[in-house]
Amino acid sequence: MSQPANAAAVAAEDASRVAARLRKIIEGHRLSPSQRRIARYLLERPAEAVFLTGNDIAEAVGISQPSVTRFAFALGFTGFPEFRDHLRAALRDGQDAAAEPTELNAVQAMIDSELRNLELLRDGLADPGRLLEVAAALAASRPLPVIGLRVSAPLAHLFGYLAAKAHPDVRVIDAPGSAMEDRLSRAADAGAAWALAFGLPRYPRELRDGLVWARRAGLRVALVTDHSVGALAEHADVVLEAPVSSQFAFDSQAAPSVLCAALVHAMLEALPTREQASIEEFENSAAERRLFLPD
Amino acid sequence: MSQPANAAAVAAEDASRVAARLRKIIEGHRLSPSQRRIARYLLERPAEAVFLTGNDIAEAVGISQPSVTRFAFALGFTGFPEFRDHLRAALRDGQDAAAEPTELNAVQAMIDSELRNLELLRDGLADPGRLLEVAAALAASRPLPVIGLRVSAPLAHLFGYLAAKAHPDVRVIDAPGSAMEDRLSRAADAGAAWALAFGLPRYPRELRDGLVWARRAGLRVALVTDHSVGALAEHADVVLEAPVSSQFAFDSQAAPSVLCAALVHAMLEALPTREQASIEEFENSAAERRLFLPD
DNA sequence: CCGCGAATGCATACTTTCATGCACGATTGT
DNA sequence: ACAATCGTGCATGAAAGTATGCATTCGCGG
């Protein structure tokens, strides 16, 4: 019943790497007619080959399953699984081939890991639909409570500072306990529909309590955190994932802070164009310019 | 740069597609603690996930194999194989889509520009000598005033939060004017030798005034900013450069926040090993653990 | 025509993988 | 404090996947 129909495939570049490996394996071996048919079959669909069982191949080629085992044996492997693992290894080697040649010092290694986090964040936003939805929802919530405790407090304040240009009533909450609960309740009473929370490791229990409280107060919760599954994500309506590397003494917050800016950016675009224009105007006003030094 | 030409990047996209599918599957399902651990494990290595058996996962995560079966069942599948086939299907679906190159959307372009900033930062730290010097100087200044106004205030607070573990008396100053001047003077009187300032665009005049005041009070000034020459840099003794992209409505602070973490990291290493050990101990103390959620 | 060896399939044993009943312990709500 | 529910691991059995002994067939050279 296990037809190749349910087998998956991998991208073309990976597939060609598998095919190359397969050719290399076969090279210099005398194969019987049946075995050549197997080889030919696999070379024709390298993308699926890595997932096929011996039975799948036998059935597809029209030979017996033991012939497949003997095929692997003839190629110098102790059995079919070992052969298949070699094909799979061709995939995995290709992925690690991105290893950087230059030696990095400790600080550079740290930055490098953050670079990879940003790459993950970027690739994860290939479809920005969810981000835009969340942004629109947050922009429409008046007021908008924003929660960030401990390490996440600066992030919440950064968001608050930026979002103030796209939202008239952002309320940053950086203290836990009853103070937070009071402010959440008051925000809900004032008409808030959503709350935004930043929950980076290590995840404070108090934040979870806060999320629970927020939802009990009738708020929906958008959560920025580094894993979409976890004790915090359980209590959020929407999760925005921003990877954090924990391999160093201190996590930096590159991805979350970028996500934060992206979120505000999206909120801005969710605004009526009239309001956008007024922001632009404010930015360039004489009053503003006097505040700042020339670039 | 919009479409990664090498095979490794394509493979990475495959992996991210598996991860995306996995997230979609998980979405909206209540998972038990063990099941969350499974989900996280798979999300962390999507490229391997499609090959793993239930037993592999159980062993790696440290749970029983039946829990893996139940995980698949909890996600709405009739069994583990069906679940795994769905992950593999994510690869197969992607094969055709991968043919046309993916153009980066606006959000991705923004992240991409931050990526380049981080690359600049990394390459600029090939010789970490200056960073270490600054870190040592800051670590030795008791107390240590840290200045960050407006957008830079969150950065200053982030630094303050992190540095508190490597320094007994960090004083974050986020308000300008006489309040700042008072606090700087008091810090100098208390024995401070250095001040750290974050000055990102747009550069507030008040920050320059603060730097001037600090130096008049006898402090040396380390400045984190995005250009080593400019109106601010003139009033600093040491400048640490952290590139910022200004092409979007809002600057994100990826590079500065990474530099911030790197700086604290370096301060930590400038510490006697005895103190480092005590930090480690504190981090792992029972009291600390109760504050946070597992994982 | 006979004999020989290689190739292959069949039947079957073995291994790995997966599913399920049951008991124990933890957590929750009353 | 007690009961109920949930989550988990262990033991076990079923199923899928793989390996191997044996018999048959085929081709080829005596």
Side-chain angles (χ1 to χ4, degrees):
Chain A
M1 87 180 188
S2 183
Q3 293 284 11
N6 72 356
V10 292
E13 283 77 5
D14 289 334
S16 70
R17 199 160 40 238
V18 172
R21 170 78 66 114
L22 187 49
R23 265 185 277 270
K24 190 164 220 164
I25 290 173
I26 292 172
E27 186 179 17
H29 287 91
R30 264 193 95 75
L31 296 181
S32 74
S34 297
Q35 291 169 348
R36 271 192 294 271
R37 294 182 62 191
I38 297 172
R40 187 159 162 265
Y41 179 80
L42 294 181
L43 282 170
E44 278 170 2
R45 23 180 91 60
E48 298 173 15
V50 288
F51 294 128
L52 298 176
T53 71
N55 239 319
D56 290 334
I57 299 173
E59 226 167 293
V61 174
I63 57 171
S64 71
Q65 171 268 321
S67 290
V68 181
T69 290
R70 289 193 267 261
F71 168 74
F73 190 77
L75 259 31
F77 300 99
T78 65
F80 177 77
E82 189 178 299
F83 162 74
R84 188 188 47 201
D85 286 348
H86 265 252
L87 291 188
R88 291 180 176 179
L91 275 191
R92 224 155 292 162
D93 291 351
Q95 305 211 343
D96 299 338
E100 57 270 14
T102 58
E103 195 63 34
L104 299 177
N105 61 49
V107 178
Q108 289 180 303
M110 177 173 167
I111 300 174
D112 217 56
S113 87
E114 289 292 350
L115 268 165
R116 272 188 284 276
N117 286 336
L118 245 50
E119 282 170 1
L120 283 176
L121 179 65
R122 182 193 58 190
D123 296 341
L125 287 173
D127 173 19
R130 162 174 297 192
L131 179 72
L132 298 177
E133 278 175 31
V134 175
L138 296 182
S141 173
R142 311 283 169 97
L144 173 62
V146 178
I147 310 174
L149 303 179
R150 298 182 150 261
V151 261
S152 304
L155 261 179
H157 280 105
L158 174 63
F159 179 88
Y161 184 90
L162 298 180
K165 293 173 182 166
H167 193 290
D169 192 1
V170 182
R171 305 182 182 180
V172 178
I173 304 173
D174 60 5
S178 59
M180 172 164 64
E181 292 166 2
D182 283 355
R183 303 195 63 191
L184 284 172
S185 297
R186 260 181 293 149
D189 291 344
W194 281 81
L196 173 64
F198 292 89
L200 303 183
R202 301 162 62 177
Y203 322 100
R205 291 195 120 84
E206 290 159 328
L207 177 57
R208 185 196 53 187
D209 300 341
L211 298 189
V212 172
W213 183 275
R215 298 183 85 183
R216 261 211 286 264
L219 296 172
R220 307 198 70 188
V221 172
L223 174 69
V224 174
T225 187
D226 65 331
H227 287 115
S228 56
V229 296
L232 283 178
E234 291 279 322
H235 301 94
D237 296 279
V238 185
V239 175
L240 296 174
E241 204 174 339
V244 169
S245 41
S246 299
Q247 49 187 126
F248 296 92
F250 301 104
D251 307 331
S252 78
Q253 306 188 339
S257 87
V258 171
L259 179 57
C260 184
L263 196 51
V264 180
H265 191 88
M267 284 174 66
L268 201 64
E269 286 183 346
L271 244 52
T273 44
R274 190 179 47 77
E275 292 192 45
Q276 285 186 41
S278 75
I279 290 172
E280 192 81 10
E281 198 178 329
F282 174 71
E283 287 271 322
N284 295 326
S285 72
E288 273 281 295
R289 268 203 300 277
R290 255 196 304 282
L291 271 176
F292 301 108
L293 296 167
D295 294 345
Chain B
M1 165 98 44
S2 44
Q3 48 275 358
N6 57 18
V10 172
E13 279 190 17
D14 265 344
S16 76
R17 195 159 36 240
V18 172
R21 168 78 64 117
L22 186 49
R23 263 184 277 269
K24 192 162 224 164
I25 291 173
I26 293 172
E27 186 178 19
H29 287 91
R30 214 188 120 76
L31 296 180
S32 74
S34 296
Q35 290 168 349
R36 278 198 295 261
R37 295 181 63 191
I38 296 173
R40 280 189 53 174
Y41 179 81
L42 296 181
L43 282 171
E44 281 168 5
R45 28 180 81 63
E48 299 172 25
V50 290
F51 293 130
L52 297 177
T53 72
N55 239 321
D56 291 336
I57 299 172
E59 208 170 311
V61 175
I63 58 172
S64 70
Q65 172 267 321
S67 290
V68 180
T69 290
R70 290 180 189 121
F71 169 74
F73 190 77
L75 259 32
F77 300 98
T78 65
F80 178 78
E82 188 179 300
F83 162 74
R84 191 189 45 200
D85 285 349
H86 265 251
L87 289 188
R88 292 179 177 179
L91 281 189
R92 179 186 45 207
D93 294 348
Q95 185 179 231
D96 312 323
E100 68 243 23
T102 59
E103 196 63 36
L104 293 182
N105 60 49
V107 178
Q108 290 181 300
M110 175 174 168
I111 300 174
D112 218 56
S113 88
E114 287 292 350
L115 268 164
R116 275 189 287 275
N117 285 336
L118 244 50
E119 282 169 0
L120 284 175
L121 179 65
R122 181 192 59 189
D123 297 342
L125 285 173
D127 173 19
R130 161 175 297 192
L131 180 72
L132 298 178
E133 280 175 29
V134 175
L138 295 181
S141 173
R142 310 284 168 97
L144 173 62
V146 178
I147 309 173
L149 302 181
R150 300 185 145 258
V151 259
S152 303
L155 262 180
H157 279 105
L158 175 63
F159 179 88
Y161 184 90
L162 298 179
K165 293 174 182 166
H167 192 289
D169 192 0
V170 183
R171 304 183 183 180
V172 178
I173 303 173
D174 60 5
S178 59
M180 173 164 65
E181 292 166 1
D182 282 355
R183 302 195 63 187
L184 284 172
S185 297
R186 261 183 292 150
D189 292 345
W194 281 82
L196 173 64
F198 292 89
L200 304 183
R202 302 164 64 178
Y203 322 101
R205 294 195 121 83
E206 289 159 327
L207 177 57
R208 186 197 53 189
D209 300 343
L211 299 189
V212 172
W213 183 276
R215 298 182 85 183
R216 262 212 287 267
L219 296 171
R220 308 197 71 188
V221 171
L223 175 68
V224 174
T225 188
D226 66 330
H227 288 113
S228 52
V229 295
L232 283 178
E234 306 225 13
H235 303 93
D237 296 276
V238 187
V239 175
L240 296 174
E241 205 174 334
V244 169
S245 43
S246 300
Q247 50 186 127
F248 296 92
F250 301 104
D251 308 330
S252 77
Q253 306 189 339
S257 88
V258 171
L259 179 56
C260 183
L263 196 51
V264 180
H265 193 87
M267 284 174 64
L268 200 65
E269 285 182 348
L271 245 52
T273 45
R274 189 181 47 76
E275 291 192 45
Q276 285 186 40
S278 77
I279 290 172
E280 191 81 10
E281 199 178 326
F282 174 70
E283 287 271 322
N284 295 327
S285 74
E288 271 282 297
R289 270 203 300 276
R290 254 195 300 281
L291 272 176
F292 300 107
L293 297 167
D295 272 334

